[in-house]
């Protein structure tokens, strides 16, 4: 819902998911989207600590885990 945008809720949820993956010894977390992954979505996932590999995949890697991102 638009009223909840830009309040940190989405990044907090992604951080919890990444923390859980880390606790289960995951080496990376990937977010994949359909064609049409818009710039707003890409900016959002990057602001939450994910890097991008192309226009459809965002990755949080083992190196990011080691840095504590």
């Amino acid at each position: 819902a638009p009223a909840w945008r830009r309040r940190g809720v989405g990044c907090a949820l992604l951080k919890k998911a990444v923390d859980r993956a880390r606790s289960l010894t995951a080496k990376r977390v990937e977010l994949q989207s359909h064609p049409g992954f818009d710039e707003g979505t890409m900016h959002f996932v990057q602001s939450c600590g994910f890097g991008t590999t192309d226009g459809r995949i965002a990755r949080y890697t083992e190196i990011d885990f080691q840095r504590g991102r």
Side-chain angles (χ1 to χ4, degrees):
W4 289 97
R5 291 184 183 156
R6 298 188 184 356
R7 293 185 180 205
V9 175
C11 276
L13 290 170
L14 277 177
K15 183 180 181 332
K16 287 285 189 186
V18 168
D19 289 346
R20 178 68 174 146
R22 181 184 293 134
S23 76
L24 297 171
T25 69
K27 300 294 183 199
R28 74 173 176 241
V29 174
E30 290 186 3
L31 301 174
Q32 295 184 357
S33 78
H34 57 83
F37 200 45
D38 65 33
E39 285 184 36
T41 303
M42 197 59 99
H43 176 74
F44 166 70
V45 297
Q46 288 174 332
S47 73
C48 295
F50 284 78
T52 57
T53 58
D54 63 29
R56 297 180 56 197
I57 299 174
R59 285 196 172 127
Y60 196 100
T61 66
E62 183 177 7
I63 292 168
D64 300 320
F65 285 150
Q66 292 170 357
R67 290 180 185 157
R69 286 175 67 177

